[in-house]
Amino acid sequence: MTLRAIEPEDLDLLYQIENDSNLWQVGTTNVPYSRYTLHDYIATSSDDIYADRQMRLIVEGDNGEAVGIADLVHFDPQHLRAEVGIVIQSNYRRKGYASAAIQELCNYAMRIIHLHQLYVIVASDNHPALLLFEKNGFKTQNTLSEWLFDGQKYRDAVLMQRFL
């Protein structure tokens, strides 16, 4: 598994993930993105976390196939922290890619960007994600009451942090 920059060839993967309405309830997006908007994002991203305040990387499998996306978003250079986001395509889940990507992201954040902490906000009923982040050194810090709205009801979320 490797993490690499997004290339124009990744447009279809990005389009598929960003427009998967099942993922909207665990993220901050709730509208579809056009191919044009995503193409423009790929073309204009500076690949500089200080300029963009985010970093999006493709998770590549052992055979070079794109299996998902790993993000550092809401980068705060004053407090040296960022939020982690990760999506692995369903047919590649439970194969260790998410865990390996999180570890690589943590190593990069510590050694290259010199961040102090990473955090993640996970739905309190998303047990696989909670276990994934716990296994990778994230500690539960707080419950955020009625933090996520799925279109019908509010759900609690868990704030988890990993100090680097």
Side-chain angles (χ1 to χ4, degrees):
M1 188 287 319
T2 58
L3 296 177
R4 64 164 174 79
I6 293 179
E7 299 287 349
E9 300 81 35
D10 299 314
L11 178 60
D12 289 338
L13 172 66
L14 191 59
Y15 183 81
Q16 176 186 352
I17 288 173
E18 291 293 351
N19 290 299
D20 183 346
S21 60
N22 293 322
L23 298 173
W24 292 352
Q25 58 187 305
V26 297
T28 58
T29 299
N30 62 0
V31 296
Y33 284 97
S34 70
R35 285 186 185 279
Y36 176 81
T37 299
L38 295 172
H39 179 272
D40 189 52
Y41 167 78
I42 293 171
T44 61
S45 175
S46 69
D47 293 328
D48 178 354
I49 194 167
Y50 284 90
D52 297 337
R53 295 291 193 255
Q54 68 177 353
M55 182 176 69
R56 307 199 76 192
L57 300 167
I58 297 297
V59 180
E60 268 189 350
D62 299 329
N63 297 325
E65 70 277 22
V67 301
I69 298 175
D71 301 322
L72 290 178
V73 296
H74 302 132
F75 169 62
D76 185 331
Q78 178 181 357
H79 302 293
L80 297 173
R81 66 176 171 239
E83 182 177 357
V84 173
I86 187 159
V87 175
I88 302 296
Q89 295 183 88
S90 59
N91 52 324
Y92 292 103
R93 291 181 187 155
R94 305 227 186 281
K95 297 182 182 198
Y97 291 119
S99 189
I102 290 169
Q103 285 301 317
E104 190 65 28
L105 212 52
C106 288
N107 288 336
Y108 181 83
M110 180 178 62
R111 293 186 180 142
I112 306 301
I113 310 172
H114 306 292
L115 295 184
H116 173 64
Q117 67 176 288
L118 295 175
Y119 68 95
V120 65
I121 297 173
V122 179
S124 61
D125 59 354
N126 187 344
H127 301 293
L130 292 169
L131 289 172
L132 171 70
F133 283 101
E134 184 177 301
K135 173 182 156 187
N136 284 283
F138 285 74
K139 306 284 186 220
T140 297
Q141 298 300 329
N142 205 350
T143 298
L144 304 168
S145 298
E146 299 184 12
W147 195 259
L148 302 171
F149 185 64
D150 65 9
Q152 296 181 0
K153 65 178 180 172
Y154 285 94
R155 297 180 312 153
D156 293 349
V158 175
L159 170 66
M160 302 177 81
Q161 292 173 291
R162 177 172 168 178
F163 294 95
L164 304 172

